[in-house]
Structures are given as C-alpha cells and as structure tokens.
Amino acid sequence: MKKLYALFLSLVMMFAFASTAMAAEAPAYPTEPGFYVQWTTNGAYELQAVTVQDGESVYDLVIKTFTAERAKFTSVPSTIGDKTGMVLKSLDGKGSVPYNSEVLKPYQYYTSAVKDATLARVNDALLAKYSDSDGLGLWMGNGTGYSNDGPYMAYVGDDWTFTVNGSRPLDPNDSSVELYMNQAAVDAGDIIVLSYGETIEVWEY
C-alpha cells in the first residue's frame, strides 16, 4: 500500500512539474489580423482596440492606440547608415535599457572564455548575419560592440521592436536594412506585434 501511495505521489509531482514547464513556454504568435502588444518577453499578446487601415505605418498605429496616454509614450528620431526614422523609446514606463555586462568591462575583448550568455547571443548574431565578421570582438559597454573583423557593429538591450506577419519589415531596395516603424506600411489583414524585451541588432557601418 505504501508503495502505491508513493507511486501516486510521484505521478502527482511529475504532472505538476510538467504543467509548470508548459506554462512557461512562449505563447504562439497571433493568427488573427490586428495590432498586438507583448509587454514582456514571452508574455501574452494583447489585441489592441484600434482599427488597422491599409497604408498606415506601424508608427501611425502606435500613435492612434496610445494617444489617450501620450504622457506614457515617447519616441525619438534615429539614424543608422542613410536611414532615419522613429524609434519607440518608452511606453508605459518600459524604456530602452542598453545591456551592460557584469563579466566583461567596457573596452575589453570578447572570447568564448567569457561566461556571459547575452554576449554569446550577440556573438552568434554577428556570425549568422556576417560570416566574415569572426564574431564579437571589442565590447564597448552600454549595449554596443564591434566585430573581430570587418566593418560590423552590434547592439543589445531591452527595447521595443515590432514585427509584421511574423518578421521585421525590410527595405525593398536593400534587404540588409530593416525599416523603422514610421516607414513600415501595413494593411488591414496584417498581424502587427509591438513587443518589449531583449533586442540584438547587428549592422554594417
């Protein structure tokens, strides 16, 4: 009897752990058209009560959605290369926070011996987009670093980003350049997601 009871308790614990693990999984990307906000990494996608019209930009939707709370919404112009556009810096108290490593100090070089999971992801991102970069090299601190080889830079931090139908919109004239939110046009049938969390950007300078 004791063995059966012990087995029963073991099964209960196993299913309890399984349900906890399932609850921690990232939610599925929305499948219905609309404008969604994901306030935290792996958080729920919240559909916003705003109508998406053909030809609007993602920035138009942000302004329409949060006009009533304009004090909680700030954006700034930004330029990368020859592209200038609007970047969402803060929404409802969640703002841009560049990453600073607790392991690697500014102006030190990153190597595989550095035990920093975030910088390892930056290294992987550089190698994935620019195979000739030889990965992350000089870490400047405040979220930025240079590649070991080639004219490449990287940024990492907690920021607001967006996707349209599951991907970041690209410049039709240069597929290596992502569009800013005021440049990305959408249609009524699109799925637009604004999300906050870790952001890694790599580019050629």
Side-chain angles (χ1 to χ4, degrees), residues 67-191:
T67 295
E69 302 178 273
R70 195 58 190 270
K72 297 182 180 180
F73 159 50
T74 59
S75 60
V76 296
S78 175
T79 301
I80 294 179
D82 62 348
K83 297 293 181 183
T84 300
M86 298 306 295
V87 173
L88 188 63
K89 296 296 289 183
S90 152
L91 177 61
D92 198 28
K94 294 181 181 293
S96 180
V97 183
Y99 178 73
N100 283 294
S101 174
E102 295 181 357
V103 180
L104 197 64
K105 294 179 181 178
Y107 303 104
Q108 289 185 329
Y109 279 84
Y110 173 83
T111 69
S112 58
V114 175
K115 303 304 179 187
D116 185 312
T118 299
L119 294 187
R121 289 192 290 274
V122 175
N123 181 66
D124 292 342
L126 275 165
L127 289 171
K129 188 168 183 179
Y130 304 109
S131 58
D132 60 333
S133 69
D134 198 23
L136 179 62
L138 181 63
W139 172 245
M140 301 295 291
N142 203 36
T144 61
Y146 290 92
S147 60
N148 271 308
D149 196 11
Y152 309 118
M153 286 191 70
Y155 166 83
V156 58
D158 287 334
D159 288 276
W160 287 100
T161 58
F162 68 91
T163 58
V164 178
N165 299 324
S167 61
R168 299 284 293 274
L170 302 176
D171 186 331
N173 300 315
D174 185 352
S175 61
S176 68
V177 177
E178 294 175 350
L179 294 176
Y180 286 99
M181 68 170 74
N182 60 308
Q183 300 167 334
V186 297
D187 292 323
D190 288 339
I191 300 169

